[in-house]
Structure formats: structure tokens, C-alpha cells
Amino acid sequence: MAEKLPSYVAGGWKAGAGEGETVHDAVTGEEVARMSTEGIDFARVLDHARTAGGPPLRAMTFHQRAGLLKALAQYLDGRKEELYTLSPRTGATRADSWIDIDGGIGTLFVYASRGKRELPDDTIYVDGGVEALGKRGTFVAQHLYTPLAGAQVQINAFNFPVWGFLEKLGPAFLAGVPTIVKPASQTAYLTEAVVRQIVESGLLPGGALQLIAGGVGDLLDHLTGQDLVAFTGSARTAAKLRAHPAVVEHSVRFNAEADSLNASILGPDAGPDTPEFGLYVDQLVTEMTVKAGQKCTAIRRAFVPVRWLDPMADAIRAKLETVVVGNPSSEGVTMGSLVSLAQREEVRGAIERLAGGATLVAGDPGKVDAVDADTDRGAFLAPILLRAEDGSRDEPHQVEAFGPVSTLIGYGGTAEEAVTLAARGAGSLVGSVVTADREFAREVVLGVAPWHGRLLVLDRDDAKESTGHGSALPHLVHGGPGRAGGGEELGGIRGVLHHMQRTAVQASPNVLARVTGRWVEGADRDESGTHPFRRHLEELNVGDGITVGPRTVTLEDIEAFADLTGDRFYAHMDQEAAAANPFFDGRVAHGYFIVSAAAGLFVDPDPGPVLANYGLENLRFVKPVYPGDAITVRLTAKAISPRGTDPHGEVTWDTVVTNQDGEVVAAYDVLTLVAKRPV
Ligand code: NAP
């Protein structure tokens, strides 16, 4: 009898009572593991996440969490062969496993790097600018994000036991929210292996991660409004869990990634002699066979102009004939098995329903030749291509066969028709358009966008670098409306913010500056002490600043700047033409001269802690500066970000340039790198 897979709960490994449910090897049918969560106290699991996991995570800055994620990704990367050894038991080939294992670890790397680059070295995330709510500037507001105080409960599908877990862990961890993962039973042994490695690494604070191997018992009954559920699986289960009384009662954030009938549209221009035709064939066959088609993003509906249906069917059939089905560990095999015999029966049933409105073009659902495998014990299925002459029937738009199955559907060749047909999927994770006709691409993309989370336009120009229809990327939103679950995962930092609460804080400028740690207009400034450029990072406080000027801008300045830069735009050089311009009364100084002259006023020239100016943000030239105007610049340290263990940090300086009447002529943020005090 196979070993019982333990859960990792409340800081220890615990196998449930009883015999448990048995999981079989997808290829050989042997027992792989048994699972039971009988006797696990699920209220305690949630409590452990909230009380042991949450506080240390929330005490860390985004950069500290990003650093841990990177270390974790490196740790797993060094031990991934163990996972590759286990993965074929799920029916996955080495290439399939790469998407799951390296894809999952890669997602952690991406989140680590984006967290470091795009989030502050702080525990909160400030959203947008300060809103001035009163005329006198004493009442202002700011939106900010703080981590939710509960747990992320992941409930995952069987097809990506590693990626599906890590792609949700990365953003939640970066946000400061602990995770409880419940993998699909069928492939939970692979997720358990990853969790075991993570626990062994000792990198994550206790309580930051727990694993439930088996059923979730009454876990969901204990959810509160501070918890989130991140579900991936069938639309049926999503609907059921979304309606769970605790989820409804406490408005628990429920993100669902469900099944979807993704479409790929061949443009009317893409006849058999074009590169796009070949790209379409390759892409469709890839999507049908990678993971034996058990991919939520796979192409289920392949829309092809009616006049290209015959050559397309022939080309795909020919390519499918080169697919070698069999034991995923055997040499030369290009497609493994489905995850279980039960899943194969389910897919066969779906094929039968699809065949009600279509004919079989390639593959036999009842028979398959499989290399080094017993097809009665292993869940092998031949790739199945169906063909529907027109798209008016319901079946291809409603039935998901979660396996190596696609339906070719003819359409007249207009963008309008393609959009109408694609929309019949009622919401998809991803769609693609394969065409070299930019107008057709534009019409289809804008037409189908409301039904999709992601869209790929594939043509000869981007094909070489394209990551493909089916690849969910950490940089891009993964999710889709309607049938696809209505959720959104990933999408870079967007995916992190799902785990945080956005709050509008209204207060006086001084209180707001204290709360956010950023100086805001109207808050106290401090101009005492040495020039702020002479201070190391630790010696600077937000609100420290300097006011310098005035400097009178002359016609000679303008001409010298024009000579130096070659910028002889008439508004600076020609009095009459400038005066005819609706915005100016005559020749004006170059905006870039004002920015340069302002720097000339505020910089401290000698070598010191300020190492470099790496950019400007939010630059606006608000009013023209005429010869004879006198400018003054006010510089204030707005945000200070120490950047972990680096020898320097970033300082953002709020910069305002005014004229002799106190009117703002330019405003911007100067971004600098400032050294820490040498140790
Ligand atoms: P599923 O049967 O809906 O199961 C999904 C998860 O929900 C599993 O972990 C399952 O656990 C759990 N679950 C089922 N009933 C539950 C309940 N009453 N309470 C708590 N948890 C429960 O889906 P599946 O068969 O694993 O996956 C295939 C489906 O997922 C396909 O339809 C596919 O399109 C979809 N999918 C979508 C995405 C996406 O990103 N959008 C990705 C992959 C798959 P057990 O395994 O223990 O039953």
C-alpha cells in the first residue's frame, strides 16, 4: 500500500486518520500515494496562518520579502531534479514538466525582481497622488495599500501542481500574506514535494506556508473577510465554492480561474502559402499536445475561414501524425498521458458530445498506440481533431474536453463574424489571432477584448520571440471574464495588490506624511542644518529641504542654451512668431533650461553622498518663463528608500520652481541615489 501523504499544518507534518483516498500513477496505474485529512483541526490551520504567519510577514518590507522569494527560487532551482523525477507519474513529459517546474520557479524569480524594482522598501504601497480636498490645503487624502491580516487559501487544479502553487504563492508572499495550499488530490504528491523542500530550506517564517494534502474539511467555514480564496479548477466547483456561506457572509475575496473554451482565429489573408498559415498549424498542434491538452489556456475552438478549412484540416492531421504518444519517460515520446483513467473517461464523454455537431478529422477516442505503455492501465488518449463546417451549433462553444482535443470551425472570413463566434465562449482566459492583416487584427482584438483576459496576435514578425498562445506569464494578467471565472492573477504588481486592502486616508498634510512616510505638500519642511546633498541616507529625513534663488533669466541665457543644444524652436528665438503663439506673449525660456538652471541652483558641487541623478518624474512646465523673470527652486526630500543591504538608497526630491510672483513655473520629482554612511 502506498504511503500516506502528510499535510504540513501548524508548524508540523501530520497525516490524517483512516485509510484515505488512493492516487494512482497516470502512466502505470500503480498506487502513488494515499491521502487523508481526517482529524486535522482546520480552524487551527487558519489561526496558525493568521497568528504565526501574518505578523512576521507584515513586519518585513517588500524588499525583504522579495529577497526571501529570490533565495527560495534559487533553493528550489538547485533541487528541481527531484521534482522532475516525480513529475512523469502525472503523465507529463520532460517538456511538460519544464512548464510546470521551471515555469513555477521562474515565476518566483520574476516576482522577486519586480518586487525589488517596482515596490518600495516599505511595508505599505502608496497608490496615486495626493488628493487636495480643501482650498487651503489643510485637508488632503491619499490611497494606500496594506496587507490583508488573514490568509490566502489556494485550491488548485491537478494540471500544474508546481506552477499553480508557486504562481499564487509569489504575489501573496510579496504582499505579506501567508498561504495555505490545497492541491488537487490527483497530483498533490508533487506539490507536497515542493512544500517539503521549502520547509527544509528554512527560509520562510513559520506559519507563512501550510499544505493540505486531501480534502479541506470545514476549512472554508472559518474564513473571514481578511482571508482570500484563490481557486483554479472547473467552473462547477468554482460556482459551488463561491456560494459557500462563509464566503458570501464575509465577502471573502474569491478569485476563480475556471475552464474556458479559448479561441484562435486565422485571418482571411492567411492562406496556405503564407507564413501565418504554418504558424497557425504549429500553434494549434502545440496547444493540443502540450500537457496532453490539459491546459486551461489550450485552444479548444479553432476558427478558420471556410475556404481554408480543407488545407488546414489536412495540414493539422499530417502534423498530428508525427506526435508520439507514450510513456513520458521514454525516448522520443512527445505526448504523455492524461492525469487519470477517470479523466480520460470524462474527456471521451466530452468528445462524444462535441461530435454531435462535428466530424472526426484525426485520432480515435477509443484507441491509441502508446510507446512503452499499457493503455488499459495508463490514461493515454490520441490527439483528437474535430471539424464543424459552421459555428452555429452550441457544442463547441459550451463543451470543454480537458485533453488533447480541438475543433476546427469554419467562418466566413470577416472580423465581425469571428468576433461574434469567439464571444460565444462566454468569457475566456486567452484568445489568439493569426494574421498579417493589421486592420483585421485591430478589429478582432478590440472586438473580442471584453471577453478575454489575454490576447495574442501572432504573425511572421513576432513569431520567433512569441511565448505562445498557452503560456500564462507572470508579467501579464492571467484570468478572464464570465466562464473563465472572472478572476485575475499575476499581471506583475497587480497580482500583489489583490492581496492587499486599498484605503483612502483623509488627514492633514502632516498626519498624512507621518502615516505614509512620504512628504506631502503642506507638511512641515526643515531647512535647518547642512545642505541636504551633504547628508548620507541615514542623516536625511523626509521633509528636509532647501530653497535657493532667485536667478534672473536673460535673453542671453536663452540664446546661449539654444547655441549649446541646437534647440532653436521659434518660441525661444523669434519674438514675433512666439507672440503669435496662443500660449506665449513673446520669446520664452526653454523648459529644459529651467530644469537645468534649477539644478544649477540646488546642487552642491563637491563629491559627497549624492551619487547620481537617475531621472525625473512627473515633470510639468506650468507657466512660461520670460526674459527678466527670476526663478527660485524649492527642493524637499519626499521619499527615502534604503534598498536593503545595498550601499546606497534612493531619494526622491519634490522640486518646485517659482517665478518672482511666487507662481509655480515647473514642478517635478528628482530621483537620486544617495550613499549610506560608511560602516
Ligand atoms: P475541479 O474538480 O474543479 O477541482 C479543482 C480543485 O478544487 C481541486 O483541488 C479539488 O480538490 C478542489 N475541490 C473540489 N471540490 C471541492 C470542494 N467541495 N471543496 C473544496 N475543494 C474542492 O477541477 P480539476 O478537475 O482539478 O481541474 C480541471 C479543470 O480545471 C478544467 O475544467 C480546467 O479548465 C480547469 N483549469 C483552469 C485553470 C485556469 O487557470 N483557469 C487552470 C487549470 C485548470 P480534489 O482534487 O481533492 O477534489
Side-chain angles (χ1 to χ4, degrees):
M1 206 185 264
E3 292 231 348
K4 212 184 284 170
L5 211 60
S7 294
Y8 183 70
V9 288
W13 291 96
K14 182 174 168 60
E19 289 225 335
E21 179 196 352
T22 305
V23 170
H24 297 270
D25 186 308
V27 178
T28 63
E30 290 163 21
E31 285 189 7
V32 183
R34 285 179 304 126
M35 246 166 288
S36 163
T37 54
E38 212 183 304
I40 288 181
D41 180 348
F42 288 102
R44 185 157 169 249
V45 173
L46 268 170
D47 187 58
H48 184 68
R50 292 179 190 129
T51 55
L57 272 181
R58 291 196 294 277
M60 285 183 222
T61 67
F62 290 110
H63 286 195
Q64 288 169 324
R65 291 180 214 132
L68 280 185
L69 269 190
K70 185 174 175 186
L72 187 64
Q74 285 166 334
Y75 186 89
L76 296 178
D77 200 49
R79 281 153 189 82
K80 62 188 176 190
E81 274 313 314
E82 185 199 329
L83 307 178
Y84 275 101
T85 310
L86 218 45
S87 184
R89 306 202 77 174
T90 69
T93 62
R94 179 91 193 179
D96 296 337
S97 304
W98 182 84
I99 301 171
D100 191 29
I101 298 167
D102 273 278
I105 296 170
T107 300
L108 291 187
F109 274 120
V110 170
Y111 269 95
S113 127
R114 294 193 86 124
K116 187 99 191 268
R117 272 188 291 123
E118 296 172 36
L119 294 172
D121 194 8
D122 200 342
T123 53
I124 63 163
Y125 178 77
V126 170
D127 175 36
V130 173
E131 302 284 342
L133 300 174
K135 279 207 170 71
R136 293 194 300 139
T138 61
F139 187 51
V140 292
Q142 172 83 67
H143 291 88
L144 56 88
Y145 281 92
T146 50
L148 287 176
Q152 177 207 50
V153 175
Q154 298 187 8
I155 299 178
N156 292 338
F158 64 75
N159 57 345
F160 288 109
V162 183
W163 178 84
F165 158 45
L166 296 180
E167 64 99 9
K168 289 174 178 161
L169 175 73
F173 186 83
L174 200 48
V177 174
T179 287
I180 299 165
V181 54
K182 181 259 178 289
S185 297
Q186 186 59 44
T187 54
Y189 53 91
L190 201 44
T191 312
E192 191 261 1
V194 188
V195 170
R196 192 169 284 281
Q197 291 184 346
I198 294 177
V199 171
E200 279 164 9
S201 80
L203 286 164
L204 303 194
L209 175 62
Q210 296 179 84
L211 165 78
I212 296 171
V216 293
D218 63 355
L219 178 84
L220 302 187
D221 294 346
H222 305 290
L223 293 173
T224 74
Q226 287 295 307
D227 303 310
L228 313 96
V229 177
F231 172 81
T232 301
S234 63
R236 198 165 1 109
T237 312
K240 187 169 154 191
L241 299 184
R242 202 196 289 278
H244 187 284
V247 172
V248 175
E249 187 184 341
H250 303 297
S251 307
V252 175
R253 288 186 199 182
F254 190 90
N255 192 86
E257 301 294 340
D259 49 294
S260 80
L261 293 158
N262 311 295
S264 182
I265 299 162
L266 183 73
D269 58 302
D273 52 353
T274 65
E276 283 70 27
F277 189 91
L279 291 171
Y280 192 88
V281 174
D282 291 349
Q283 172 167 277
L284 184 56
V285 172
T286 299
E287 292 302 322
M288 287 176 72
T289 54
V290 167
K291 283 295 283 188
Q294 300 167 111
K295 244 172 35 175
C296 53
T297 51
I299 299 167
R300 304 292 173 208
R301 299 177 298 150
F303 295 111
V304 172
V306 170
R307 65 192 163 125
W308 308 130
L309 260 182
D310 283 339
M312 181 56 75
D314 291 345
I316 293 178
R317 190 191 303 110
K319 189 146 179 114
L320 285 176
E321 278 165 11
T322 67
V323 173
V324 182
V325 178
N327 188 323
S329 303
S330 295
E331 190 79 20
V333 166
T334 55
M335 189 176 107
S337 72
L338 298 186
V339 77
S340 65
L341 293 175
Q343 184 64 18
R344 181 168 71 180
E345 278 323 295
E346 202 156 296
V347 174
R348 282 177 173 157
I351 295 169
E352 218 173 288
R353 274 176 283 148
L354 285 168
T359 51
L360 197 63
V361 174
D364 178 347
K367 188 174 162 294
V368 58
D369 293 326
V371 174
D372 295 338
D374 175 346
T375 57
D376 289 331
R377 294 177 62 81
F380 296 93
L381 186 72
I384 305 292
L385 184 68
L386 298 151
R387 170 171 170 166
E389 295 308 319
D390 72 84
S392 62
R393 304 260 315 205
D394 286 338
E395 291 91 342
H397 308 294
Q398 291 180 359
V399 178
E400 183 201 38
F402 199 59
V405 185
S406 281
T407 306
L408 282 178
I409 303 168
Y411 80 102
T414 66
E416 195 184 352
E417 195 187 338
V419 168
T420 306
L421 285 172
R424 285 189 63 185
S428 296
L429 297 169
V430 54
S432 59
V433 196
V434 186
T435 179
D437 178 341
R438 291 175 195 168
E439 188 48 31
F440 181 79
R442 190 189 76 87
E443 282 180 45
V444 172
V445 166
L446 299 184
V448 300
W451 282 270
H452 287 81
R454 177 166 63 84
L455 288 167
L456 162 69
V457 182
L458 185 65
D459 63 18
R460 63 197 78 180
D461 295 336
D462 66 5
K464 273 221 161 64
E465 285 199 291
S466 167
T467 46
H469 173 107
S471 302
L473 300 174
H475 322 72
L476 308 181
V477 161
H478 175 55
R483 178 174 180 143
E488 260 192 23
E489 279 169 11
L490 302 173
I493 297 307
R494 293 174 190 86
V496 177
L497 300 180
H498 293 326
H499 303 84
M500 306 182 79
Q501 177 61 40
R502 179 164 50 191
T503 308
V505 179
Q506 299 170 282
S508 69
N510 275 325
V511 170
L512 202 59
R514 182 77 188 97
V515 170
T516 62
R518 305 179 123 230
W519 182 81
V520 301
E521 186 65 51
D524 293 343
R525 299 177 65 254
D526 183 359
E527 295 207 355
S528 65
T530 53
H531 189 291
F533 277 27
R534 308 259 21 112
R535 293 184 225 163
H536 288 96
L537 203 71
E538 302 82 347
E539 295 149 359
L540 269 175
N541 295 307
V542 293
D544 287 353
I546 187 170
T547 303
V548 204
R551 168 183 174 152
T552 301
V553 175
T554 65
L555 207 51
E556 291 71 41
D557 286 334
I558 297 172
E559 290 190 340
F561 193 79
D563 282 345
L564 185 66
T565 60
D567 177 353
R568 300 183 160 277
F569 188 61
Y570 71 89
H572 313 304
M573 307 309 288
D574 181 335
Q575 176 66 17
E576 210 177 311
N581 180 307
F583 298 108
F584 307 130
D585 300 335
R587 293 175 71 176
V588 292
H590 302 69
Y592 302 125
F593 172 69
I594 300 304
V595 170
S596 306
L601 289 171
F602 67 67
V603 296
D604 181 83
D606 294 332
V610 175
L611 304 173
N613 166 207
Y614 71 95
L616 296 180
E617 276 180 351
N618 310 318
L619 172 61
R620 287 288 177 280
F621 298 123
V622 185
K623 262 189 157 306
V625 175
Y626 297 104
D629 284 352
I631 58 167
T632 295
V633 58
R634 190 198 69 185
L635 193 76
T636 314
K638 180 177 179 176
I640 300 172
S641 186
R643 283 219 151 261
T645 53
D646 289 354
H648 56 264
E650 289 153 10
V651 180
T652 303
W653 304 88
D654 179 273
T655 311
V656 179
V657 185
T658 48
N659 64 17
Q660 61 283 353
D661 299 323
E663 296 168 319
V664 176
V665 297
Y668 48 99
D669 290 339
V670 174
L671 310 175
T672 58
L673 297 177
V674 177
K676 293 177 183 168
R677 216 177 3 227
V679 279

